[in-house]
Amino acid sequence: MFKFVLIPAKEDAPIQEFTADSSGGLSDDALVKHAKKYFHELTGAKSRLETIAKASPEERKMLAQQVRNQMKGALDSQNIDDDTLLDTIYRNQSIGSCDITALTVPVPGNSYQAVSMYAADQAKESGLSLNKRATSVLTACGHAANNGGVYGDVFLGRAHDNEASDVWKRMDFTVKDADSGADWCRIARSRTGGGGSGGKAAAASLSGLLQSGNAVQTIDTSATAASGGGAAMFGQNGAPPVQESWGSWTQTNDEIELVFQVEAGTKAKDCKVKFRPRHVSVSVKGSTVLDDVSLFDPIVPDECTFTLQDAKDHRELIVTLTKSEPRTWSWAIQMNK
């Protein structure tokens, strides 16, 4: 048995955890079967099949005309009769499918653990909602949020895949793992972690998924979220600042800017900021604001700065962090628990 999760696109809907039989292996994977069935119903394919199956001769004629109107220019309607057209649509709609995105590919750096995201085919084009939580996990693995991000409900699952040992087996992926701040995401975005910075060796090990006969959609790991429409979700590309309990933050491809509201009259000598490769500390007038908190990605301490500026009725402490890698951060800091 193994566990996998469903992250609903609706933000206030809880992440669900499922348990399935792992005996089917790669060729008869329970997660893939579950995802295909789920998306078959979610996208309306199942209802369209029922409509065609129950249609009267007159209704079939009307349905065929509707299909021709929708596919105008994509086929030669003069050479395809109504029954052949609808039968073709029926066969296509009968085959459950889903997009599979490799968040991590199995490499030694992640102990040969592959984490995949399963989503509906053409989710954005089908009008499904943006899934902010899934997009956050995607970018936390070092990938660009291309096409505006992840759309619709998604499943996440994990497998141990070592081609050299000819081993493929499902592993648990729990609700706790479905967090952009999880350790596996941090490992994924490292240079040897099999995520968006995995490089040529990581991309080659996708063959295990390809052998299953499922459509695999890989992410362009050379792209950065600065060029993607979904970057605005994370305070980038001129988007409003991301509001946090301690202040707010924005980012460019190269920098993170943290903004703290401080008292009027606060001077530079009142502020102490300590930069470390993966941590930052901030105190103002002896009061701790951030206590050696963890950062999403490494920074270059020697290139980081802070300054003060006046706002309407207060001053602002601006802390600028220089990214060590030019990519989107899904979050800025992780408060100590």
Side-chain angles (χ1 to χ4, degrees), residues 163-217:
E163 294 181 4
S165 302
D166 194 25
V167 174
W168 190 96
K169 63 179 180 180
R170 277 294 178 189
M171 301 176 66
D172 287 342
F173 191 96
T174 65
V175 171
K176 185 178 179 180
D177 292 319
D179 182 347
S180 60
D183 283 344
W184 73 269
C185 292
R186 176 183 56 77
I187 293 172
R189 62 179 180 268
S190 68
R191 290 186 180 278
T192 59
S197 297
K200 296 180 179 179
S205 60
L206 280 171
S207 58
L209 285 173
L210 292 170
Q211 290 170 3
S212 69
N214 300 313
V216 176
Q217 174 188 357

Side-chain angles (χ1 to χ4, degrees), residues 3-7 15-18 31 154-157 173-176 178:
K3 297 177 181 179
F4 62 94
V5 303
L6 170 69
I7 303 180
I15 297 175
Q16 302 176 43
E17 190 172 288
F18 298 85
L31 172 49
V154 302
F155 292 95
L156 290 179
F173 191 96
T174 65
V175 171
K176 185 178 179 180

